[in-house]
Amino acid sequence: MRRPGKYRRRPARWAALAALAATSIAGCGNAANKAADVTASTFGNNATGEVVFWARSDTITAAAPLVMEFNATHRHLKVVMDSIQDTQAVTELATAIRGRAAPDLVDLNDIYMPIFTQLDAFLNITSAVRKLPYARDLSPGHLALATYGKRVYGVPYLADLSVLWINKTLFKRAGLNPNDPPRNFAEILADARKINALGHGINGFSFGGDCSGCLGFTTLPNIWAAGSNVIRGSLDHQTGNVKGNASVSSLLTLYRTLWSEHLVPASDRTDTGATWGQDFAAGKVGIFPGGYGTVITEVPAAKRSQFTDVALPGPKGGFATFDGGDDLAIPEGAKNASGAWEFMKWVLQIKQQDQLPSFGYTPVRSDALTQAFERANPLDSVALRALAHGVAPATTAYNSIFNQAGGPWLSMFDTAVYAGQVKAAMAATQQGFDQLLKDESS
């Protein structure tokens, strides 16, 4: 069991950001970027030359074919794509901006956007975004992470949303109606018990028990669905909201019950994410909270008919999703900001957004949810319908709190779910959250 204590940030990453802030990047940008007038009618239209695009390695399967298609249909403008490792993206981008060697466009994990927006490290494209005829249809969660104050520094690109998957075959075998999936915690527990009773290696539920990022992605929406949150306050002055939070207590109690009643595979406790979702894809689990792409990439198209998905519910109802995925932004110092914006607008067109489900992702425009889209992508339609209820924590401490092994989020699950100490876990996690968030604002 991991013990809550001093949670430390990754030195290299934060040293780079400290250096970035110290250079006063708003005043040291390339002259080409300073001259970019986002209000001009020519901005983002018929741009020429090259756009250097840093694409996130984790979502390169979507970026590569889109860039190829763009280049084939836009002879006046060429996008030159380089892959950047997700674990190094923050440090490498900060270093590049500081050294005035930034790309024209960057594809960033949306949860990392606040790190740069608060430093004015991206081009302010507020007026350009407002002019988009579909601006109101853009994912609110993704857009919120790209916004600091009233300034918009990026746009949503692709969505990786969390949902609740169910195995229709196992539901029927357990005497349950797959068309009446669980809509609250009590129903999740009741259905998991019935499915688990089938025996023969079948489990009612499954989760990545040693994967902090997996747990954040799939359980935070349960809390948001109840109208609650685990972090409160503005970006520059945040505190935890864990101790005494009834929604958090209900969540931990549910998972504790699932574990203590052996309704989940014993291997869940040590699942670091390497095999996350494989037992569900193999037809051995009845209920599985995961991403749309988590299952789609594991299950052959011919076998997907036995699965369906619904939005992640709150303790007593409601629903929400984690707005995972990517945002696009133009870094300070970009040489071809107009070309970058032209490509960004093209990516956001419905034709390109409709291709995302085939790559395991969800469109970031709610108006993409047409009857034709639902017929072609019935499983992704659930995620797209939940887009308006999507949330992602806007905090620069996200990685330290929710992703880092040994961080307060995973330590809370260890103590509450496996040791059964729910209140103690919540109290210790409150301290861990407060410490990290205080470090961020100092």
Side-chain angles (χ1 to χ4, degrees):
M1 179 178 69
R2 291 178 176 84
R3 299 183 181 277
K6 292 287 184 179
Y7 305 109
R8 296 303 180 193
R9 297 170 291 189
R10 296 180 179 178
R13 171 186 167 211
W14 292 99
L17 292 178
L20 179 59
T23 60
S24 185
I25 56 174
C28 75
N30 185 292
N33 196 7
K34 285 184 177 181
D37 181 4
V38 300
T39 64
S41 60
T42 55
F43 183 72
N45 294 308
N46 298 313
T48 59
E50 292 185 347
V51 172
V52 178
F53 175 35
W54 283 9
R56 180 183 168 208
S57 61
D58 284 9
T59 53
I60 199 74
T61 53
L66 289 173
V67 167
M68 184 178 298
E69 182 179 346
F70 180 87
N71 286 338
T73 56
H74 295 72
R75 296 194 176 184
H76 62 285
L77 184 64
K78 182 180 180 181
V79 176
V80 179
M81 185 184 71
D82 290 322
S83 177
I84 181 171
Q85 290 297 316
D86 193 53
T87 54
Q88 299 297 322
V90 171
T91 301
E92 289 190 24
L93 181 58
T95 302
I97 295 174
R98 184 192 179 207
R100 302 186 184 184
D104 299 303
L105 180 64
V106 64
D107 158 23
L108 202 63
N109 187 327
D110 62 353
I111 61 172
Y112 294 144
M113 287 293 288
I115 296 172
F116 293 92
T117 60
Q118 68 169 342
L119 295 175
D120 207 29
F122 296 145
L123 182 65
N124 182 348
I125 56 173
T126 306
S127 59
V129 173
R130 288 176 177 171
K131 289 179 182 177
L132 295 174
Y134 48 83
R136 292 186 178 182
D137 298 310
L138 293 174
S139 168
H142 287 77
L143 202 56
L145 291 175
T147 303
Y148 183 69
K150 295 183 179 181
R151 300 183 298 278
V152 181
Y153 291 98
V155 294
Y157 164 32
L158 55 79
D160 182 11
L161 307 178
S162 50
V163 294
L164 187 67
W165 287 97
I166 67 170
N167 183 311
K168 294 190 292 185
T169 301
L170 294 182
F171 262 64
K172 291 177 181 178
R173 285 178 54 191
L176 298 168
N177 182 359
N179 295 318
D180 185 24
R183 303 288 185 179
N184 55 52
F185 286 4
E187 292 178 1
I188 287 176
L189 185 58
D191 290 354
R193 284 168 171 162
K194 290 183 178 180
I195 295 169
N196 210 73
L198 294 173
H200 303 287
I202 299 298
N203 288 105
F205 196 89
S206 181
F207 60 91
D210 196 33
C211 177
S212 191
C214 306
L215 291 171
F217 182 60
T218 56
T219 62
L220 283 171
N222 298 133
I223 297 169
W224 299 330
S228 186
N229 210 327
V230 293
I231 296 176
R232 55 190 167 197
S234 59
L235 190 60
D236 55 354
H237 186 69
Q238 295 180 319
T239 58
N241 182 34
V242 179
K243 185 178 180 180
N245 189 319
S247 298
V248 176
S249 179
S250 295
L251 171 70
L252 295 175
T253 299
L254 170 65
Y255 274 72
R256 169 59 183 172
T257 304
L258 290 166
W259 175 256
S260 63
E261 292 187 10
H262 307 289
L263 304 181
V264 301
S267 58
D268 276 6
R269 182 170 186 171
T270 56
D271 187 350
T272 60
T275 59
W276 185 47
Q278 290 182 6
D279 48 6
F280 179 80
K284 298 293 186 180
V285 170
I287 304 171
F288 170 69
Y292 163 73
T294 309
V295 172
I296 292 301
T297 55
E298 291 285 343
V299 180
K303 296 184 178 181
R304 292 174 191 167
S305 60
Q306 67 177 309
F307 304 117
T308 190
D309 57 336
V310 296
L312 284 162
K316 297 181 180 180
F319 66 93
T321 186
F322 191 108
D323 262 335
D326 300 7
D327 280 348
L328 294 174
I330 303 171
E332 178 71 24
K335 297 178 181 179
N336 195 351
S338 181
W341 180 239
E342 183 166 344
F343 177 68
M344 292 162 77
K345 290 191 298 179
W346 180 84
V347 166
L348 287 174
Q349 292 174 2
I350 289 295
K351 181 177 180 294
Q352 283 65 254
Q353 288 290 302
D354 278 350
Q355 297 179 44
L356 294 178
S358 63
F359 306 133
Y361 301 106
T362 304
V364 292
R365 287 178 54 174
S366 58
D367 59 338
L369 188 61
T370 62
Q371 291 183 347
F373 183 91
E374 290 193 77
R375 286 194 298 270
N377 309 284
L379 297 176
D380 203 15
S381 296
V382 172
L384 184 52
R385 193 172 290 110
L387 191 68
H389 293 254
V391 184
T395 176
T396 57
Y398 186 91
N399 194 56
S400 302
I401 289 175
F402 297 104
N403 279 344
Q404 189 169 310
W409 186 250
L410 185 56
S411 293
M412 178 177 70
F413 269 80
D414 282 350
T415 304
V417 176
Y418 307 127
Q421 301 174 28
V422 174
K423 288 186 177 180
M426 291 173 66
T429 301
Q430 177 72 42
Q431 294 178 0
F433 270 47
D434 286 346
Q435 177 181 311
L436 285 174
L437 292 168
K438 182 179 178 180
D439 289 345
E440 290 295 330
S441 60
S442 61

